[in-house]
Amino acid sequence: MRLFHVSEEPEIQVFEPRLPSRQDLDPHRGLVWALEESCLPNFLTPRNCPRVAYHVGPETTQEDKRRFFTSAGVAHGVVIEHSWFQAMSETVLYLYEFAPKDFTLQDAAAGYYVATNTQVPIGCQRIENLFAEQIRRNVEVRITRNLWKIAEEVKTSTLLWSLCRMRYAQPAEETLTN
């Protein structure tokens, strides 16, 4: 298993545990966060870019595969808003790899792992073209004006999904009626 941390900051030498802001975690226990490689596409965007990410899981139906993917053989999708296209085109990311020995699984669907002790990366890769990296990883990237409709649809699907940085998303649009 390979674990990574994605950042816009170059040359991070040490990752110190940080207190989580999430309400479902112990606010007094610092954590270093990492992702398993299969969930990296969810984070190959600018940090604050709102996005809907989803991928095929063991319970995913053929109907949902046809509904959410336009290409056969693709099993991961990331949807961003039009307004983030430029930032996605210009952002450089750094992919820090960790030895997995100190990490424990925090969320299987999202691929999150955590460690409670200081971590030193064992490697770092610079990613200059985020769209090309997503395509290299066989991810279907969609660009839309608004994320809320697809977010609601994916939440009721059989896919594994993640809604990231949605507080930065455009407000939900009114339903169009004739």
Side-chain angles (χ1 to χ4, degrees), residues 55-65 67-68 153-161:
H55 61 277
V56 172
E59 305 298 319
T60 302
T61 64
Q62 289 300 316
E63 179 183 333
D64 278 344
K65 287 179 186 178
R67 185 173 160 209
F68 288 93
E153 290 174 358
V154 79
K155 288 187 329 188
T156 60
S157 76
T158 59
L159 294 162
L160 299 174
W161 52 270

Side-chain angles (χ1 to χ4, degrees), residues 161-175:
W161 52 270
S162 180
L163 306 180
C164 303
R165 304 291 181 173
M166 294 299 283
R167 68 181 169 271
Y168 299 110
Q170 297 295 315
E173 297 177 330
E174 296 293 322
T175 304

Side-chain angles (χ1 to χ4, degrees), residues 3-19 30-35 47 93-99 102-103 113-125:
L3 296 178
F4 298 90
H5 181 93
V6 180
S7 179
E8 292 181 15
E9 295 180 39
E11 301 178 23
I12 300 174
Q13 302 298 313
V14 175
F15 287 79
E16 296 291 344
R18 293 185 181 175
L19 295 177
L31 301 170
V32 174
W33 292 84
L35 294 166
R47 177 174 173 79
L93 292 178
Y94 299 88
L95 192 57
Y96 295 93
E97 185 170 1
F98 294 122
D102 295 334
F103 287 86
Y113 284 76
V114 294
T116 56
N117 56 328
T118 300
Q119 295 294 313
V120 176
I122 60 172
C124 181
Q125 175 187 354

Side-chain angles (χ1 to χ4, degrees), residues 37-117:
E37 189 169 22
S38 66
C39 291
L40 271 176
N42 300 3
F43 291 88
L44 297 177
T45 67
R47 177 174 173 79
N48 288 328
C49 176
R51 58 210 177 264
V52 175
Y54 48 88
H55 61 277
V56 172
E59 305 298 319
T60 302
T61 64
Q62 289 300 316
E63 179 183 333
D64 278 344
K65 287 179 186 178
R66 285 189 298 274
R67 185 173 160 209
F68 288 93
F69 297 102
T70 62
S71 302
V74 173
H76 206 119
V78 175
V79 186
I80 66 169
E81 293 176 331
H82 293 164
S83 61
W84 282 87
F85 178 85
Q86 192 71 29
M88 182 87 169
S89 299
E90 297 172 351
T91 298
V92 173
L93 292 178
Y94 299 88
L95 192 57
Y96 295 93
E97 185 170 1
F98 294 122
K101 67 180 175 60
D102 295 334
F103 287 86
T104 58
L105 181 63
Q106 195 273 332
D107 182 329
Y112 294 158
Y113 284 76
V114 294
T116 56
N117 56 328

